[in-house]
Amino acid sequence: MEIQNILDQIKLDGDNSKNKILKNAELEIKAREEYLNTQIKQIKDEYKNRLKEEKKSIKQTFSKKLDFELKKLNNIYLEHLLNELREELIKSCNNLPKKDKVKFVNTILKSNASASDKVYVNFDDLKLDDIKKLEIVKKLKLKIYSGENLGIIIENKDYEINFLLKDMAQDVISKNQNHILKTLKLK
């Protein structure tokens, strides 16, 4: 019987060792699973944070580009609008009644012309004879010619004074641009 006891003891020791090994293996597996789960969670969190930062960066970049493009489009629109306004102003001045255009030319000549200056005039429906009849033209012996651009140019050997409608309209718009844009509620 003693052999049986020894065998039983060996079996019992073997079972205890086996249970101990299995228990240690389970603990080791559990510890490794927890470690791997922690690592996976950490990697996921890092990727989530990276993704969040990338989204934020892309959003900021896109937002800046969009703002830039909107400003660019707005500037193009404002420039187009101001150009249309300038053209309308030129057209309105050129469409004034003939007597008002003659008064305008007379006022410009009285204020700016000197004896024997050359004067180039161009307005729709205004003839050179209309200008040549002015007293200031006769008094200063001005030479009147047809101009190429709408408006008046006074010229002598030393200088040239420009009263072209396009330049005067641009000057008016430039000086009053903020007021114009505020009036149109664009600024």
Side-chain angles (χ1 to χ4, degrees):
M1 184 113 164
E2 202 151 303
I3 292 187
Q4 188 60 42
N5 281 344
I6 294 175
L7 287 176
D8 285 342
Q9 188 60 40
I10 290 174
K11 185 178 184 260
L12 185 61
D13 288 344
D15 286 343
N16 285 340
S17 288
K18 174 183 90 170
N19 288 339
K20 196 175 185 180
I21 290 171
L22 287 174
K23 182 98 170 153
N24 285 340
E26 284 176 10
L27 290 173
E28 182 67 27
I29 289 170
K30 193 171 187 176
R32 287 185 184 193
E33 280 179 348
E34 286 176 7
Y35 173 77
L36 289 174
N37 285 336
T38 303
Q39 290 297 322
I40 289 170
K41 185 182 179 324
Q42 193 176 10
I43 290 169
K44 275 181 166 178
D45 289 345
E46 284 177 21
Y47 277 114
K48 279 183 184 177
N49 289 336
R50 258 210 234 139
L51 184 60
K52 194 185 289 184
E53 289 300 316
E54 283 295 319
K55 282 182 180 179
K56 187 178 176 182
S57 175
I58 289 169
K59 193 174 183 180
Q60 286 175 344
T61 301
F62 181 74
S63 180
K64 286 178 185 176
K65 285 181 181 179
L66 182 62
D67 285 347
F68 176 75
E69 289 301 320
L70 286 174
K71 284 178 184 174
K72 200 163 81 172
L73 286 173
N74 190 47
N75 287 341
I76 290 169
Y77 172 72
L78 292 177
E79 185 177 324
H80 176 72
L81 188 65
L82 292 173
N83 284 338
E84 282 186 6
L85 183 61
R86 186 184 81 233
E87 291 302 316
E88 195 58 39
L89 188 56
I90 292 168
K91 185 176 167 185
S92 295
C93 289
N94 193 41
N95 288 335
L96 287 170
K98 186 176 182 177
K99 65 179 177 126
D100 290 338
K101 289 184 218 175
V102 171
K103 278 185 190 177
F104 174 71
V105 172
N106 191 45
T107 302
I108 295 294
L109 294 178
K110 281 183 178 180
S111 301
N112 299 283
S114 300
S116 301
D117 282 351
K118 293 179 185 176
V119 178
Y120 298 89
V121 180
N122 182 359
F123 289 99
D124 291 350
D125 84 336
L126 195 60
K127 297 182 179 16
L128 293 183
D129 288 339
D130 297 323
I131 305 303
K132 289 178 182 177
K133 291 177 189 175
L134 294 173
E135 188 179 314
I136 190 73
V137 172
K138 294 173 186 172
K139 181 180 171 187
L140 294 176
K141 296 179 183 168
L142 301 173
K143 295 169 191 89
I144 307 299
Y145 299 99
S146 181
E148 291 180 22
N149 298 308
L150 289 175
I152 306 165
I153 296 175
I154 301 172
E155 183 182 273
N156 67 28
K157 63 179 179 155
D158 297 324
Y159 60 86
E160 178 180 293
I161 305 173
N162 173 340
F163 296 96
L164 296 176
L165 292 185
K166 68 178 183 175
D167 296 334
M168 292 187 321
Q170 184 61 47
D171 190 45
V172 167
I173 289 172
S174 294
K175 286 180 180 175
N176 297 292
Q177 183 171 335
N178 286 336
H179 179 69
I180 292 167
L181 296 175
K182 283 179 185 173
T183 302
L184 297 172
K185 296 183 179 13
L186 296 172
K187 219 174 189 188

